Amino acid sequence: MAKDELQVLNALDVAKTQWYHFTTIIIAGIGFFTDAYDLFCISLVTKLLGRIYYYNKASSSPDTLPLNVPAAVNGVAFVGTLTGQLFFGWLGDKLGRKRVYGLTLMLMVICPLASGLSFGRSPTNGFGILVGGMVAIVVSGAFKANYPSPPFEKNPNGSTVPEADYVWRIILMFGALPALLTYYWRMKMPETARYTALVAKDAKQAAADMSKVLRVDLEEEGQQEKPKEKKQSDFGLFSGQLLRKHGLHLLGTTSTWFLLDIAFYSQNLFQKDIFTAIGWIPKAKTMNTIEEVYRIARAQTLIALCSTVPGYWFTVALIDKMGRFRIQLMGFTFMTLFMFALAIPYHHWTLPHNRIGFVVMYSLTFFFSNFSPNATTFVVPAEIFPGRLRSTCHGISAASGKAGAMVGAFGFLYATADIRVQKSLIILGVVSLLGTFFTFLMSESKGKSLEEMSGKVE
């Protein structure tokens, strides 16, 4: 690595925290926010879609989507996400982070709007999760107050008012708003200094960009510390050198993200069925259509507010103290323990006076999935790979996660009866245990620069 490149990047590492850093955090976070919102709001509207588009007058209970339909809805979402992570991860190393992030933001604006505008009467197929539930509560609550209707068991046909069709569309279309607001601010920011210096090979431009936004002379600060150069040739994605240096690391990031998402997405997408199975949410026939959406959204929001979001904040507070490896190992371990603690005495938790205990234990699985693996699995790939391949390797790791999400989503389709829920929890406990073992392939990056982690300097 050239000396001027090292000076720029070292100065960037030691620069004091400024408003630019907070802006970067917010803009990057909005991407994760929108991704979570778009994926998890699906679980809030599937019940509604079943009542609206699959109503059967001969049925004695509210209609739900046939198993192949939610499979198609969730499958399309995950396949699209997986494909996008591979393609845009690769494109991010070719065109730069700024241009590709802008392009994906535009797609995240257009597609939710298109989903909500797909009108027709034929059958249709951390904070993002929290806001998804909150939006669903607000929208369904407003429609429930303005368009009252009887429960299904009293009037099957009248329990679904025509206006209910707008509820799911509004919930989906809201996902376009954060991406739209983020686009302008991201376009005002320069390309990342590491991409400009290491990939575009323009250290002077990187210094100029960062000097402007950080309001410091990076070239001058860069003289304070000069890491030793390590002579090495640039190697490609499919090279033996990458395999030797980072092969096990890539296996570690892909496998742990894959296993984490099997547990995490299946829990989030189908927790409504688990809550119904233990009686925390009333039977569908005792509610009208909009009331059911409201109840499901309220339950999921409570879980997110009390466990998912606090888990992320614990990670923020402790990840640089405990380190990535220890915090992820802890998370997977506790996920395993709580899954088995729910599954083995499952009948005990289904008894009416023990349901609160079940919800508390179930919430703790979400807390520990976010207090480590659901954060570290996307942090570590962004730190340990070479800059020119970082976006690609991160995309591969993330795509592995979505492959795991697909496994979890399809695997939970049949988890409706009590015994099946119990077996599913046991499987998720085993999956979490495997995540514990594969965590040992991770490389600890606490306290190291990105260049040290990728082997650029010694």
Side-chain angles (χ1 to χ4, degrees):
M1 186 188 295
K3 182 172 69 175
D4 52 351
E5 292 175 357
L6 283 173
Q7 290 173 353
V8 171
L9 302 182
N10 180 63
L12 185 62
D13 288 338
V14 300
K16 295 181 180 179
T17 301
Q18 301 179 33
W19 178 247
Y20 169 77
H21 295 100
F22 291 108
T23 304
T24 303
I25 291 170
I26 293 170
I27 290 175
I30 289 293
F32 284 106
F33 172 96
T34 308
D35 171 67
Y37 182 95
D38 290 343
L39 287 173
F40 291 115
C41 70
I42 295 174
S43 65
L44 295 170
V45 302
T46 50
K47 291 276 189 179
L48 180 58
L49 293 175
R51 288 213 188 193
I52 295 174
Y53 294 107
Y54 289 86
Y55 172 64
N56 182 359
K57 294 181 179 180
S59 176
S60 61
S61 61
D63 290 282
T64 58
L65 293 174
L67 286 178
N68 65 310
V69 177
V73 172
N74 290 317
V76 166
F78 288 137
V79 169
T81 306
L82 185 154
T83 306
Q85 286 167 331
L86 289 174
F87 175 69
F88 288 108
W90 169 80
L91 203 62
D93 284 330
K94 298 297 180 182
L95 301 181
R97 282 51 161 165
K98 177 179 178 178
R99 293 173 62 184
V100 173
Y101 192 33
L103 176 60
T104 55
L105 284 174
M106 280 296 96
L107 291 175
M108 294 172 81
V109 171
I110 296 169
C111 294
L113 294 177
S115 298
L117 293 174
S118 58
F119 287 93
R121 292 303 302 176
S122 58
T124 184
N125 54 34
F127 286 114
I129 302 172
L130 174 63
V131 174
M134 293 173 65
V135 171
I137 289 174
V138 172
V139 174
S140 60
F143 275 77
K144 183 164 69 78
N146 287 279
Y147 304 100
S149 59
F152 182 90
E153 60 184 359
K154 292 185 178 180
N155 186 347
N157 189 43
S159 66
T160 304
V161 296
E163 291 79 9
D165 190 51
Y166 295 103
V167 174
W168 70 270
R169 301 180 186 278
I170 295 172
I171 293 172
L172 290 180
M173 293 172 71
F174 185 87
L177 185 59
L180 183 62
L181 295 176
T182 305
Y183 180 83
Y184 170 76
W185 294 106
R186 182 60 187 99
M187 292 302 100
K188 288 186 64 176
M189 294 173 64
E191 179 58 86
T192 62
R194 282 182 164 85
Y195 181 87
T196 304
L198 300 178
V199 182
K201 303 297 183 182
D202 192 345
K204 183 177 180 180
Q205 184 62 48
D209 289 341
M210 293 301 101
S211 295
K212 182 178 180 181
V213 295
L214 294 178
R215 296 182 174 85
V216 293
D217 188 347
L218 290 184
E219 291 184 342
E220 182 177 331
E221 288 196 9
Q223 303 292 332
Q224 295 175 2
E225 182 179 348
K226 298 180 181 180
K228 297 178 181 178
E229 294 184 38
K230 181 180 180 179
K231 296 181 179 179
Q232 63 176 42
S233 59
D234 289 346
F235 47 86
L237 180 64
F238 301 104
S239 66
Q241 195 169 357
L242 178 68
L243 182 63
R244 290 191 299 272
K245 288 180 175 294
H246 298 288
L248 286 179
H249 297 158
L250 187 58
L251 177 60
T253 58
T254 54
S255 60
T256 53
W257 207 333
F258 174 81
L259 294 165
L260 180 276
D261 277 6
I262 291 178
F264 184 73
Y265 278 86
S266 59
Q267 282 182 276
N268 274 285
L269 291 172
F270 298 101
Q271 60 179 290
K272 63 183 184 299
D273 300 307
I274 294 179
F275 291 151
T276 301
I278 66 167
W280 199 40
I281 295 178
K283 298 294 184 182
K285 65 181 181 180
T286 65
M287 301 178 285
N288 62 46
T289 301
I290 298 177
E291 173 73 15
E292 185 177 25
V293 175
Y294 178 82
R295 293 264 192 163
I296 293 171
R298 189 174 64 177
Q300 293 192 192
T301 301
L302 182 62
I303 293 293
L305 190 61
C306 296
S307 58
T308 305
V309 174
Y312 278 123
W313 283 111
F314 269 77
T315 302
V316 171
L318 297 175
I319 190 170
D320 285 328
K321 295 181 174 64
M322 294 178 61
R324 284 70 165 148
F325 172 80
R326 290 175 59 191
I327 204 172
Q328 181 165 306
L329 191 67
M330 175 204 67
F332 272 124
T333 300
F334 278 103
M335 285 174 64
T336 304
L337 293 176
F338 283 115
M339 290 291 186
F340 286 138
L342 287 172
I344 295 173
Y346 180 73
H347 176 71
H348 166 82
W349 296 116
T350 60
L351 299 176
H353 58 281
N354 293 328
R355 288 170 181 169
I356 297 299
F358 180 95
V359 173
V360 172
M361 295 279 283
Y362 192 64
S363 298
L364 286 171
T365 66
F366 281 96
F367 175 81
F368 282 104
S369 67
N370 291 284
F371 178 24
S372 62
N374 199 38
T376 53
T377 50
F378 67 76
V379 169
V380 173
E383 295 178 332
I384 65 175
F385 298 111
R388 65 188 177 283
L389 299 174
R390 188 169 294 140
S391 181
T392 302
C393 291
H394 194 283
I396 293 172
S397 302
S400 298
K402 289 304 172 288
M406 293 170 65
V407 172
F410 287 108
F412 254 62
L413 284 176
Y414 302 94
T416 52
D418 283 0
I419 188 64
R420 289 174 180 168
V421 172
Q422 183 182 27
K423 287 183 177 179
S424 298
L425 289 170
I426 292 175
I427 292 171
L428 293 181
V430 173
V431 167
S432 300
L433 182 60
L434 290 174
T436 303
F437 295 146
F438 279 97
T439 295
F440 285 93
L441 297 178
M442 278 180 46
S443 176
E444 180 57 73
S445 53
K446 183 184 72 170
K448 299 179 181 179
S449 72
L450 297 181
E451 287 64 53
E452 290 176 299
M453 285 304 305
S454 62
K456 275 286 186 181
V457 296
E458 58 181 1

